[in-house]
Amino acid sequence: MIAVYPGSFDPVTSGHLDIIVRAAKLYDSLIVVVAQNGAKQAAFTAEERVSLLEKSVAAQGLKNVSVACISSGLLVDYTDNLGAGVIVRGLRAVSDFEYEFQRALTNRHLRPSIETVFLMTSAEHLFLSSSIVKELARLHGKIDGLVPAAVVDDVRAKFLIPNE
Ligand code: ADP
C-alpha cells in the first residue's frame, strides 16, 4: 500500500519527521507531499521545503520514503494518480481535530476510496509546529531539537541566526 503525507512543511519539524518515520513502518511506500497552499504565506519556497524534507529523510536512512510537491489541483486526484490509497495526517491537540476532521470528510466526499489515517503525535512534539519554529527563529532563539538535526543549519541560515 502506498500512502501520502501532505502538508505545508514550512519548515519540516521533528514532529513531522516522527510521523514520517512511523508511517514509513506502516506502508510499503510513503510519499511526503509539499502542498503549496495559496492561503498561507510561506517562509520557505516549495523547493526549499522539499530539499529540507529530503535531507531529513535521507539522514534517517528511510528507503521507502520519497518527497514530492503539488502546486495545483486536488490532493485526492494527485493521491489517486500516484496509486496511493491512504492520506496520512498527524494529530496534536484537540485544536487540530476540527480542521482535520473537515478536511478528511471533504476528501472522503470527493473520493470515498481514499482513507485518511491519523497518527497521534508523540508527547514530546505535542506543542511543536512550523509556526513556533519560525517565531523562535525570527527572534534568533534556539531551534535545536525542534527541527531534524540534518537541517538545523539550513533553517538557522534562512533566518540569519549567527553560529554559536
Ligand atoms: P498543513 O498546513 O497542511 O496543516 P503542516 O505542515 O502544518 O501542514 O502539517 C502537516 C501535518 O502534520 C498535519 O496533519 C499536522 O497536524 C501534522 N503535524 C504538524 N506538527 C506535528 C507534530 N508536532 N506532531 C504530529 N503531527 C504534526
Side-chain angles (χ1 to χ4, degrees):
M1 172 82 78
I2 303 173
V4 302
Y5 176 34
S8 308
F9 304 108
D10 184 43
V12 58
T13 67
S14 303
H16 292 135
L17 186 60
D18 176 53
I19 297 288
I20 292 171
V21 169
R22 288 159 54 203
K25 290 186 191 140
L26 298 175
Y27 301 102
D28 300 312
S29 166
L30 180 73
I31 304 165
V32 184
V33 181
V34 171
Q36 302 197 50
N37 183 345
K40 280 192 184 177
Q41 183 64 40
F44 292 81
T45 66
E47 292 73 24
E48 287 170 334
R49 288 181 270 154
V50 167
S51 158
L52 295 178
L53 276 162
E54 280 174 344
K55 266 193 181 184
S56 307
V57 166
Q60 293 288 321
L62 297 168
K63 298 274 183 285
N64 63 337
V65 180
S66 57
V67 184
C69 186
I70 175 175
S71 54
S72 64
L74 290 173
L75 177 67
V76 284
D77 288 338
Y78 188 80
T79 304
D80 242 359
N81 290 338
L82 290 170
V86 168
I87 295 173
V88 171
R89 296 284 289 176
L91 272 186
R92 282 161 296 186
V94 181
S95 51
D96 278 342
F97 185 78
E98 208 165 296
Y99 172 69
E100 295 292 344
F101 195 51
Q102 202 173 31
R103 278 182 65 138
L105 289 188
T106 305
N107 284 333
R108 183 179 304 157
H109 167 77
L110 293 169
R111 201 62 48 85
S113 57
I114 297 175
E115 279 295 349
T116 302
V117 170
F118 294 101
L119 296 186
M120 295 291 167
T121 185
S122 299
E124 66 267 38
H125 301 129
L126 187 58
F127 298 105
L128 182 53
S129 66
S130 297
S131 306
I132 285 289
V133 167
K134 286 180 282 192
E135 212 172 308
L136 257 181
R138 281 193 188 105
L139 299 169
H140 291 190
K142 204 170 160 68
I143 56 163
D144 305 59
L146 304 184
V147 299
V151 303
V152 170
D153 286 346
D154 299 276
V155 177
R156 291 165 67 97
K158 179 80 180 176
F159 290 93
L160 307 174
I161 302 178
N163 287 325
E164 281 162 359

